[in-house]
Amino acid sequence: MLVLLPPSEGKAASGRGAPLKPEALSLPGLAAARAAVLDELVELCAADEEKAREVLGLSEGLRGEVAKNAELRTAGTRPAGEIYTGVLYDALDLASLDAAAKRRAGKSLLVFSGLWGAVRVGDRIPSYRCSMGVKLPGLGALGAYWRGPLAEVMPEVAGDGLVLDLRSSAYAAAWKPKGEVAQRTASVRVLHSQMVDGVEKRSVVSHFNKATKGRLVRDLLVSGARPKGPAELVGTLRDLGYVVEAEAPERSGRAWSLDVVVTEIH
C-alpha cells in the first residue's frame, strides 16, 4: 500500500544533523527537478528578501522563513516525518508508533512537496517554506512544474498495490494516477454529518478533515492491514470503526472515491 500525503504549512525547526544530501533522498528520478527548484529558491531568498516574501506569499510575521530558505544547503536535517507538523501529522503521531508500524510507515508513506516533489518520511531534509502553490520567477508554477517529473517516477513507486490518496487539491494536481494505477487508487475526503431541523447536512471541515486523515493512516499502520485494492480498503476501514461510503468509478482508468463520514468534530 502506498499512502500519498500533503505536507504541512508549518514545519519543525531543522535538526542538528548533517546538511542535506540530495543524492540520499528517495525517488532519485526527481533529483534533477529538485536541484532546479532548490537552486532557484535559495538564490531568490538570498538575493531579495522582499521579492522572496512576495513570491512565497508570506506575511510580515513570517519574514524569518525567507532567511531559513536561503540557508537550505547548510542547515541541519531531520527525518521528513519529524519536519512536517500540523493537524494531520499530530494525529498520525509517527513518533509514538511501535517498531513494526514505524517500518510500515517508512515503506508506505509518501509526502508531496513544492520543493522536493515527493519524499518518504525517513528522508532527511531541512525545514523550509515553499508550497505547491508558489510560482517561482524562473520555473513557473510548481504544481505544473512537477507534473512531468512525477509522471515519470510515480508509476514505478506505486508498484502493483493499493494507492491511498489523502492529498489536498494543490498537491493532488501535481500527479494524477492514470490507467491501471488509477483503478487501484482510492481518493478520500472526510465529511462532517449533522442534523439541522431534521435534515442531514454534510460539510467539509478543514481542521477535522486533516485530523481524521491522520488518525485513519495511524489506524491502518497499527493494524498491519494490507488491503490489496479500494474495495478491500473499504472493508478494512469499516472493520476499524469508520463509516465509509464508496463510489466505484463509472469508467475504467479512474480512481475510486471514498467518503469517511463523521458526526463529531475533535
Side-chain angles (χ1 to χ4, degrees), residues 1-3 155-164 175 180-186 226-230:
M1 177 174 63
L2 180 67
V3 182
E156 181 178 352
V157 175
D160 58 3
L162 169 70
V163 178
L164 175 55
W175 179 66
E180 186 271 335
V181 178
Q183 292 177 194
R184 47 187 169 83
T185 296
R226 301 178 64 180
K228 293 179 170 53

Side-chain angles (χ1 to χ4, degrees), residues 180-193:
E180 186 271 335
V181 178
Q183 292 177 194
R184 47 187 169 83
T185 296
S187 179
V188 173
R189 66 175 180 171
V190 179
L191 298 178
H192 176 224
S193 172

Side-chain angles (χ1 to χ4, degrees), residues 6-37:
S8 58
E9 195 70 19
K11 298 172 182 68
S14 294
R16 296 182 179 180
L20 175 70
K21 296 180 179 179
E23 70 279 3
L25 297 178
S26 301
L27 283 65
L30 298 178
R34 287 170 175 154
V37 179

Side-chain angles (χ1 to χ4, degrees), residues 8-264:
S8 58
E9 195 70 19
K11 298 172 182 68
S14 294
R16 296 182 179 180
L20 175 70
K21 296 180 179 179
E23 70 279 3
L25 297 178
S26 301
L27 283 65
L30 298 178
R34 287 170 175 154
V37 179
L38 181 63
D39 286 348
E40 183 169 355
L41 182 62
V42 170
E43 182 179 349
L44 171 68
C45 291
D48 190 331
E49 183 178 276
E50 286 304 316
K51 182 178 180 180
R53 194 162 66 86
E54 179 181 349
V55 168
L56 296 173
L58 301 176
S59 66
E60 176 67 30
L62 293 173
R63 182 179 292 272
E65 299 294 288
V66 176
K68 183 167 69 174
N69 280 349
E71 299 174 353
L72 283 173
R73 290 196 183 90
T74 57
T77 59
R78 60 202 299 181
E82 296 178 13
I83 289 289
Y84 295 117
T85 58
V87 176
L88 187 153
Y89 292 90
D90 284 347
L92 175 53
D93 196 8
L94 288 168
S96 69
L97 292 173
D98 63 32
K102 284 181 179 177
R103 286 194 297 271
R104 288 190 283 270
K107 293 178 180 179
S108 63
L109 304 188
L110 193 67
V111 184
F112 277 63
S113 162
L115 174 54
W116 314 114
V119 292
R120 296 195 183 276
V121 291
D123 287 337
R124 298 191 67 91
I125 58 173
S127 185
Y128 68 96
R129 192 69 172 236
C130 185
S131 73
M132 194 65 82
V134 164
K135 185 177 182 180
L136 292 176
L139 296 176
L142 290 178
Y145 170 81
W146 279 112
R147 284 176 196 149
L150 286 167
E152 289 291 325
V153 304
M154 283 303 300
E156 181 178 352
V157 175
D160 58 3
L162 169 70
V163 178
L164 175 55
D165 192 352
L166 302 177
R167 297 172 296 167
S168 53
S169 58
Y171 292 90
W175 179 66
K176 295 182 179 180
K178 295 181 179 180
E180 186 271 335
V181 178
Q183 292 177 194
R184 47 187 169 83
T185 296
S187 179
V188 173
R189 66 175 180 171
V190 179
L191 298 178
H192 176 224
S193 172
Q194 56 184 331
M195 299 301 293
V196 178
D197 297 328
V199 179
E200 183 191 27
K201 301 289 186 180
R202 292 184 175 183
S203 59
V204 176
V205 182
S206 178
H207 181 282
F208 190 64
N209 171 59
K210 295 174 183 178
T212 300
K213 287 180 177 178
R215 286 192 288 269
L216 183 151
V217 174
R218 181 183 177 85
D219 288 344
L220 286 171
L221 293 172
V222 170
S223 72
R226 301 178 64 180
K228 293 179 170 53
E232 190 173 332
L233 173 66
V234 172
T236 298
L237 292 177
R238 287 172 177 166
D239 288 343
L240 290 171
Y242 291 91
V243 176
V244 182
E245 297 177 356
E247 183 179 337
E250 295 181 356
R251 291 185 290 173
S252 62
R254 299 290 182 88
W256 283 55
S257 297
L258 272 60
D259 287 340
V260 175
V261 183
V262 297
T263 56
E264 296 181 1

